[in-house]
């Protein structure tokens, strides 16, 4: 396994003091294609182009010309040079010849719903944009919206996830199932022109739909159906829920957890593509000799046989939401939130910037971090370069410059458990004082919070407010400790 964590370009230089720079995570790749002898990889924060010959990466984001943030859809025209970017808020950029043209019509429309773009289907020079209210027909060469279709049963707004066109018919996977109509009827904006398709007898929500050669593929949970010669039939059942499907070089690729299943033809046997580097594939592109994979966590993966290369721009591996710290050229940031625990994936991640290079500490890169709760706060001890991390439930963690990890949980005289949950130690804020012992604030003071000191002899001693906490003391338990610490009515905890 080979890792490439590259700077923005080999020619890039550090910007002078006073000039803002991006430090974006592009390890979640949602789309892959080729562009002018480079490999194009899109993430939610922007996109990058990797040149395999020069081993260089060029990144693009809002600070370098894009109109918005939070990319939801990225699609390159199969037979032209246009690229359409759809943002989470409904905004659209059209890229071509190194120019960016913004089309904010959907974003600014008065439709009484959020404007979300799900996918884009190309038909010659036109783009069919699937949204959470219908289908928008876009001409990216004239930079204008030509029409809007609502293929629901009653003509009302409807979630349209994907569009596909085969022969003389247009198909749409919607929240009401798959709907179809004659493409050139001239009546696509009349909901009565759309009829129901029934790949299966069950009332199923098809989250994916695409054209494969002259066939149509529809995916629902772990099952795929194919329409050939005018008839639907069951095609394939995956081992887990299908996260996405796409085609490349005449092959069909089915993305399921850390496995990619491919078919060369509808009648061929499935081929399984496995690699320990694949955590959750989102999209893939074949150039004939290599398979380029967009992964949920590992960026762009180049797979040749069993050999894998991981490629992404140097940067933090995720979004930093907790208390960060910066001292003497070092930045420490954490993924968790000081005020809430993630309800989805664990955010036990630490991002460290030193000498203009980011290093990411996660459970996958350091097994000592496995099982820890969300990282919500961080502080740097300058003399030793040791970084202290507060967690939302598993106490205090330290990481030294040699990546050695030390953990501190609840003790009788030190960090204290939540009074309502034994063993739950929430460290919501950390500060380093001049005497070189860090302060870790515990659970909210209104619930009996304490302040703990880890002294130079590595012992942890707890201090608790002996009076009803004020607003300042409550805030201190979430990261601003000084007002509370200066109160004379604070003494040793017992």
């Amino acid at each position: 396994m080979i890792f490439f964590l590259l700077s923005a370009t080999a020619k890039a230089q550090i910007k002078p003091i006073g000039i803002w720079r991006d430090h974006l995570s592009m390890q979640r790749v949602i789309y892959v294609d080729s562009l002018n002898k480079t490999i194009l990889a899109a993430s939610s924060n922007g996109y990058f182009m990797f040149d395999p010959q020069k081993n260089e990466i060029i990144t693009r984001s809002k600070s370098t010309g894009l109109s918005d943030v939070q990319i939801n859809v990225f699609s390159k025209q199969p037979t032209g040079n246009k690229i359409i970017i759809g943002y989470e808020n409904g905004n659209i950029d059209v890229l071509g010849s190194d120019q960016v043209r913004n089309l904010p019509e959907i974003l600014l429309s008065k439709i009484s719903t959020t404007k979300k773009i799900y996918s884009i289907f190309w038909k010659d020079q036109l783009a069919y944009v699937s949204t959470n209210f219908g289908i928008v027909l876009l001409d990216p060469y004239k930079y204008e919206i030509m029409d809007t279709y609502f293929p629901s049963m009653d003509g009302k707004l409807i979630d349209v996830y994907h569009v596909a066109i085969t022969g003389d018919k247009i198909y749409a996977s919607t929240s009401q199932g798959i709907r179809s109509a004659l493409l050139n009827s001239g009546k696509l904006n009349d909901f009565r022109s759309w009829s129901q398709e029934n790949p299966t007898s069950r009332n199923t929500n098809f989250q994916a739909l695409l054209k494969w050669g002259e066939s149509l593929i529809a995916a629902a949970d772990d099952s795929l159906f194919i329409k050939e010669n005018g008839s639907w039939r069951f095609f394939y059942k995956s081992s887990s829920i299908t996260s996405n499907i796409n085609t490349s070089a005449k092959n069909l690729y089915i993305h399921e957890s850390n496995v990619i299943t491919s078919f060369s033809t509808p009648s061929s046997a499935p081929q399984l593509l496995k690699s320990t580097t694949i955590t959750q594939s989102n999209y893939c592109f074949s150039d004939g000799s290599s398979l380029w994979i967009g992964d949920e966590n590992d960026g762009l993966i180049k797979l040749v046989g069993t050999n894998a290369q991981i490629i992404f721009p140097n940067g933090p591996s995720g979004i930093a939401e907790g208390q960060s710290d910066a001292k003497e050229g070092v930045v420490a940031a954490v993924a968790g939130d000081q005020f809430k625990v993630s309800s989805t994936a664990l955010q036990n991640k630490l991002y460290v910037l030193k000498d203009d290079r980011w290093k990411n500490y996660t459970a996958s890169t350091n097994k000592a971090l496995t099982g820890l709760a969300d990282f919500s706060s961080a502080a740097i001890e300058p003399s030793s370069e040791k970084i202290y991390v507060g967690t939302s439930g598993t106490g205090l963690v330290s990481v030294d410059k040699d990546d050695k990890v030390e953990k501190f949980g609840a003790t009788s005289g030190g960090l204290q458990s939540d009074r309502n949950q034994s063993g739950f130690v929430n460290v919501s804020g950390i500060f380093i004082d001049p005497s070189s012992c860090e302060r870790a604030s515990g659970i909210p003071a209104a619930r009996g919070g304490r302040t703990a000191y880890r002294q130079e002899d590595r012992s942890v001693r707890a201090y608790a407010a002996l009076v009803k906490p004020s607003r300042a003391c409550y805030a201190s338990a979430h990261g601003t400790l000084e007002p509370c610490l200066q109160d004379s009515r604070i003494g040793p905890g017992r």
Side-chain angles (χ1 to χ4, degrees):
M1 186 191 308
I2 303 174
F3 290 82
F4 288 135
L5 283 74
L6 305 178
S7 300
T9 69
K11 300 177 182 178
Q13 296 180 348
I14 299 176
K15 293 183 180 181
I17 294 174
I19 303 298
W20 287 96
R21 289 192 294 151
D22 284 336
H23 293 277
L24 300 175
S25 171
M26 292 194 183
Q27 285 186 229
R28 178 179 178 264
V29 174
I30 60 175
Y31 179 86
V32 185
D33 210 327
S34 62
L35 179 67
N36 300 328
K37 297 182 180 181
T38 67
I39 301 299
L40 180 70
S43 75
S44 56
N45 295 317
Y47 69 95
F48 63 91
M49 294 168 286
F50 172 64
D51 188 328
Q53 300 300 319
K54 298 179 181 180
N55 201 36
E56 285 183 1
I57 282 182
I58 298 175
T59 61
R60 293 286 184 265
S61 63
K62 185 176 181 181
S63 67
T64 54
L66 299 184
S67 300
D68 220 319
V69 295
Q70 290 301 308
I71 295 173
N72 209 45
V73 176
F74 196 101
S75 183
K76 176 179 172 289
Q77 185 181 12
T79 58
N81 64 349
K82 294 292 186 181
I83 294 173
I84 297 178
I85 300 176
Y87 298 95
E88 190 171 325
N89 60 6
N91 205 0
I92 288 179
D93 277 344
V94 178
L95 282 60
S97 302
D98 294 327
Q99 294 183 342
V100 179
R101 179 75 173 264
N102 182 233
L103 301 179
E105 284 81 355
I106 295 177
L107 172 63
L108 301 177
S109 68
K110 296 182 180 180
I111 294 175
S112 59
T113 182
T114 57
K115 295 103 175 182
K116 184 174 182 179
I117 298 174
Y118 290 117
S119 64
I120 295 168
F121 179 84
W122 293 87
K123 173 65 174 175
D124 301 324
Q125 293 188 346
L126 299 179
Y128 292 79
V129 182
S130 298
T131 74
N132 66 334
F133 58 85
I135 303 168
V136 175
L137 182 59
L138 173 66
D139 187 332
Y141 288 86
K142 295 181 179 180
Y143 303 105
E144 65 181 30
I145 291 177
M146 300 179 64
D147 213 337
T148 304
Y149 312 131
F150 306 101
S152 59
M153 296 179 182
D154 54 8
K156 295 182 180 180
L157 305 185
I158 184 173
D159 283 280
V160 178
Y161 308 119
H162 290 270
V163 167
I165 296 174
T166 61
D168 61 352
K169 296 189 74 173
I170 178 173
Y171 299 83
S173 61
T174 76
S175 53
Q176 296 177 356
I178 297 179
R179 308 277 289 165
S180 66
L182 290 174
L183 179 62
N184 298 318
S185 64
K187 299 180 180 180
L188 293 183
N189 51 11
D190 183 351
F191 73 94
R192 291 167 295 187
S193 299
W194 294 81
S195 58
Q196 199 74 13
E197 293 279 328
N198 297 302
T200 174
S201 58
R202 293 181 293 134
N203 186 13
T204 303
N205 187 5
F206 292 90
Q207 71 268 24
L209 179 74
L210 60 75
K211 178 184 177 182
W212 181 27
E214 295 305 316
S215 302
L216 198 66
I217 297 290
D221 297 328
D222 60 354
S223 299
L224 272 69
F225 300 85
I226 186 170
K227 186 173 186 179
E228 292 182 296
N229 303 318
S231 299
W232 286 99
R233 65 175 175 87
F234 174 79
F235 177 67
Y236 176 74
K237 186 178 179 65
S238 59
S239 58
S240 61
I241 293 178
T242 301
S243 61
N244 192 30
I245 55 176
N246 76 275
T247 60
S248 179
K250 298 183 179 181
N251 287 351
L252 173 68
Y253 294 95
I254 305 168
H255 304 269
E256 40 182 317
S257 187
N258 60 345
V259 176
I260 301 175
T261 303
S262 70
F263 288 86
S264 57
T265 67
S267 59
S268 65
Q271 301 294 318
L272 297 183
L273 304 174
K274 293 184 178 180
S275 173
T276 55
T277 59
I278 301 174
T279 63
Q280 172 62 71
S281 61
N282 292 320
Y283 202 93
C284 62
F285 163 78
S286 174
D287 64 6
S289 58
S290 306
L291 186 67
W292 300 86
I293 302 166
D295 191 78
E296 183 73 15
N297 302 291
D298 281 344
L300 176 66
I301 301 174
K302 180 183 179 182
L303 191 63
V304 182
T306 58
N307 297 320
Q309 297 177 348
I310 296 178
I311 306 159
F312 53 83
N314 181 251
S317 62
I319 303 297
E321 296 188 3
Q323 171 199 321
S324 302
D325 195 15
K327 287 185 174 69
E328 299 183 8
V330 179
V331 175
V334 290
D337 192 308
Q338 288 176 273
F339 308 115
K340 64 181 181 181
V341 178
S342 172
S343 59
T344 54
L346 277 175
Q347 298 300 323
N348 51 354
K349 301 174 184 178
L350 169 67
Y351 317 126
V352 179
L353 176 65
K354 182 180 179 182
D355 299 327
D356 204 45
R357 300 288 296 175
W358 284 95
K359 188 169 184 178
N360 298 295
Y361 295 84
T362 67
S364 61
T365 61
N366 192 318
K367 293 183 178 180
L369 303 180
T370 302
L372 296 177
D374 291 359
F375 291 178
S376 59
S377 53
I380 304 169
E381 202 291 300
S383 61
S384 65
E385 296 185 16
K386 184 173 288 188
I387 299 172
Y388 294 92
V389 177
T391 75
S392 299
T394 50
L396 183 69
V397 179
S398 70
V399 181
D400 66 17
K401 60 184 178 181
D402 296 319
D403 297 343
K404 181 182 178 181
V405 174
E406 194 171 4
K407 306 173 186 177
F408 304 91
T411 59
S412 59
L415 293 172
Q416 301 295 296
S417 298
D418 187 317
R419 65 175 62 178
N420 298 319
Q421 189 174 351
S422 177
F424 183 88
V425 183
N426 180 17
V427 179
S428 60
I430 311 172
F431 287 87
I432 306 293
D433 68 17
S435 62
S436 297
C437 63
E438 72 275 9
R439 307 168 180 176
S441 68
I443 61 177
R447 297 169 59 196
R450 289 171 174 259
T451 298
Y453 291 79
R454 182 177 181 275
Q455 304 174 106
E456 291 183 352
D457 64 1
R458 298 176 63 195
S459 64
V460 177
R461 188 178 182 188
Y463 283 71
L466 301 183
V467 298
K468 182 178 179 180
S470 64
R471 181 183 298 273
C473 192
Y474 177 79
S476 75
H478 290 288
T480 308
L481 295 177
E482 290 306 321
C484 187
L485 292 173
Q486 291 172 357
D487 194 322
S488 61
R489 294 169 294 178
I490 292 181
R494 296 179 181 178

